[in-house]
Amino acid sequence: MSRVRPSVHAGNRHYSLVCSSCGARYADDGLLLDCARPHEPAFLRAEYESPFDSPRTGLFRFASLLPVARTFPDVPGPVVLRAEKLGRALGLDRLWTAFNGHWPERGAYLPTCTFKDLEAYTVLGRLPADPPVLVIPSAGNTAAAFAWAATLYRVPCLIVVPAPALDGMRFPGPLDPCVRIVVLDGPATYSDTIACAELLSALPGHRAEGGARNVGRRDGLGSVLLAAVEAIGGLPDVYVQAVGSGTGALGVHEAARRVRAGREKAPRLMMCQNAPFAPLFEAWRGRGAAPADREREPLARELTNRRPPFTVRGGVREALVESGGDVLCVDNSAALAAMALYEETEGIDIEPGAGVALASLAEAVREGRVRRDEVVLLNVTGGGRARQGRDLRLVAAEPWLRVAWPDGGEGGARLVAGLVGEASVGAAYSGAARSWGARSEAVASESVRSGAAQSGADR
């Protein structure tokens, strides 16, 4: 069962939420996304005020620096490793990788093979005891992470994905009926799922999960930095990550500000995007908007967020300026070559997004923007998916609803909202979500750790 503080409610959590713009302070109810005062768009940030009783291992060993009201047993965390062979290939003496995926020999057991698992469990741990239906748009990885975490703990979710995302949605077991997946067939993109989610969140009993606005997401992903400090013994000089919205890099930057000692500098952020659709790269370089008609072309489709939080207070531009960072961009061929290099040197497959980050780092080293002697942390945001497919019996996700997305997208979001509304999803979910003790610790632990239990059984 989950570990819960007695009578957890807004007002007795171990943290407060503070507005990045006006400094207004809020007691969190587990769902708050925005400041109530009238001003420019601004993120809320968590300020941690007291310890939280937490397990000694896994993601929730960092619970005192996570905005949660409860923790879950045996949830794996990131694994930070020295990458000497890869470092030699790149010309770096002190390269570390945060490996987020499935790699049993190195202790990595993230169930859906990307660091999105870290945000999913943190967001669920932040929720109130009787949560609404969370509406989550995704290009695939976030969808998989929330679907599996919500399955284990019976949290009602409505997840919207473009059809290609289904290929990566395979799990150690079947999804619970409280998790409903809406698939957009045809030419729909990640941006289209976001448009649908905005309308679906207005349905009775539904709430937007919030994306980058959700402190659970940012701080959950920021656990990568906390694990790195444990392994390295201090902050890295440079942090490299592929980004769509930049949520993970923002979480790392916020975590670094909390844990740095004295005058220790926060890591220089290097955010990496995949040409030809790279909105953050274009915005940072002052080149205007990325052309929307190129959104389907990148190898790493999970990076194609058309509306990243670039100018929001507490957002991407501010973090880049504060850290002295940069946004880099590489094409598909460079990402593929980097994926092959990682498997050759380190011995495990990685996802396209991680390939984009590695290719960008290689280019930065060649151009002298990263020195040989700097401590570099490369976030391998996903890996081991091919290995997991060999190790485990995986079950493909079954969509709850498939919608033919109209050419041009005109009226598509309204069509989806109408179909979901007609199906009375809110009523169908009633009773599906139970209290946080609904499933026994043994069942939850077995499911989350199925990678360890089944590893090698089906080769």
Side-chain angles (χ1 to χ4, degrees):
M1 297 170 66
S2 60
R3 297 162 136 340
V4 190
R5 273 191 171 183
S7 303
V8 171
H9 54 78
N12 74 340
R13 297 186 180 219
H14 68 294
Y15 62 94
S16 298
L17 299 182
V18 180
C19 177
S20 297
S21 178
C22 70
R25 185 174 295 269
Y26 297 90
D28 189 23
D29 64 357
L31 295 168
L32 189 63
L33 298 175
D34 300 299
C35 180
R37 294 182 178 178
H39 52 59
E40 63 190 327
F43 282 149
L44 298 175
R45 287 176 172 163
E47 286 192 1
Y48 297 96
E49 299 154 356
S50 61
F52 189 98
D53 181 28
S54 58
R56 296 182 180 179
T57 60
L59 170 64
F60 288 109
R61 71 186 186 273
F62 304 121
S64 290
L65 291 175
L66 295 177
V68 294
R70 58 192 48 79
T71 65
F72 307 116
D74 302 310
V75 174
V79 176
V80 178
L81 307 166
R82 188 75 180 264
E84 295 181 354
K85 290 182 180 178
L86 180 61
R88 285 197 294 272
L90 298 180
L92 293 171
D93 293 334
R94 297 193 288 174
L95 175 63
W96 294 76
T97 59
F99 186 87
N100 294 283
H102 179 84
W103 195 358
E105 294 84 356
R106 306 306 292 271
Y109 292 104
L110 288 182
T112 67
C113 294
T114 77
F115 80 150
K116 297 299 185 179
D117 287 314
L118 309 177
E119 69 180 4
Y121 286 99
T122 306
V123 168
L124 298 193
R126 181 186 171 220
L127 291 174
D130 186 20
V133 179
L134 288 184
V135 180
I136 304 162
S138 173
N141 291 336
T142 295
F146 273 91
W148 186 240
T151 285
L152 295 181
Y153 296 102
R154 302 294 299 276
V155 180
C157 289
L158 182 63
I159 297 170
V160 189
V161 297
L166 271 183
D167 294 341
M169 297 186 70
R170 300 171 63 85
F171 304 99
L175 296 181
D176 190 272
C178 73
V179 176
R180 302 238 167 131
I181 300 173
V182 177
V183 176
L184 309 183
D185 285 320
T189 64
Y190 179 27
S191 297
D192 296 321
T193 72
I194 294 173
C196 290
E198 288 176 353
L199 294 182
L200 293 171
S201 299
L203 292 174
H206 293 60
R207 288 285 292 267
E209 178 274 327
R213 292 151 60 211
N214 192 320
V215 293
R217 277 218 194 186
R218 300 201 310 274
D219 290 7
L221 297 176
S223 66
V224 167
L225 190 277
L226 303 179
V229 170
E230 281 185 342
I232 299 170
L235 292 172
D237 299 309
V238 181
Y239 173 79
V240 184
Q241 186 201 310
V243 298
S245 66
T247 305
L250 289 176
V252 162
H253 184 64
E254 291 176 22
R257 292 174 62 182
R258 293 185 187 108
V259 303
R260 63 184 175 183
R263 297 185 178 180
E264 189 178 20
K265 291 183 179 179
R268 199 162 73 247
L269 298 179
M270 289 197 163
M271 304 188 193
C272 313
Q273 293 218 286
N274 189 181
F277 186 75
L280 281 176
F281 176 77
E282 301 294 343
W284 178 243
R285 300 299 170 98
R287 298 179 183 178
D293 61 355
R294 311 302 297 272
E295 189 171 348
R296 290 190 289 274
E297 296 181 38
L299 178 70
R301 296 257 182 116
E302 67 271 22
L303 307 182
T304 55
N305 188 319
R306 197 182 296 174
R307 294 184 293 172
F310 184 67
T311 58
V312 176
R313 281 296 299 270
V316 170
R317 182 170 63 186
E318 189 174 295
L320 286 166
V321 172
E322 285 182 1
S323 72
D326 200 358
V327 184
L328 312 178
C329 189
V330 296
D331 61 19
N332 290 346
S333 60
L336 286 167
M339 292 167 69
L341 174 64
Y342 194 94
E343 187 161 12
E344 177 186 342
T345 56
E346 300 300 308
I348 192 77
D349 61 284
I350 62 173
E351 295 292 284
V356 166
L358 176 54
S360 299
L361 174 59
E363 181 177 289
V365 173
R366 287 193 298 269
E367 294 177 354
R369 284 184 280 175
V370 175
R371 300 192 313 273
R372 184 183 195 103
D373 62 342
E374 288 188 292
V375 178
V376 178
L377 177 62
L378 170 67
N379 189 341
V380 178
T381 48
R385 195 182 300 273
R387 171 64 188 276
Q388 187 193 54
R390 296 192 298 269
D391 286 353
L392 310 181
R393 290 199 253 335
L394 299 175
V395 179
E398 290 290 337
W400 172 70
L401 178 67
R402 300 195 78 127
V403 180
W405 192 255
D407 287 338
E410 194 68 31
R414 290 190 298 274
L415 171 65
V416 172
L419 290 171
V420 172
E422 288 171 11
S424 300
V425 173
Y429 276 113
S430 63
R434 302 177 182 176
S435 64
W436 290 106
R439 289 197 168 190
S440 72
E441 181 174 344
V443 172
S445 298
E446 181 180 355
S447 298
V448 175
R449 300 176 65 191
S450 60
Q454 295 186 44
S455 181
D458 303 310
R459 295 184 193 179

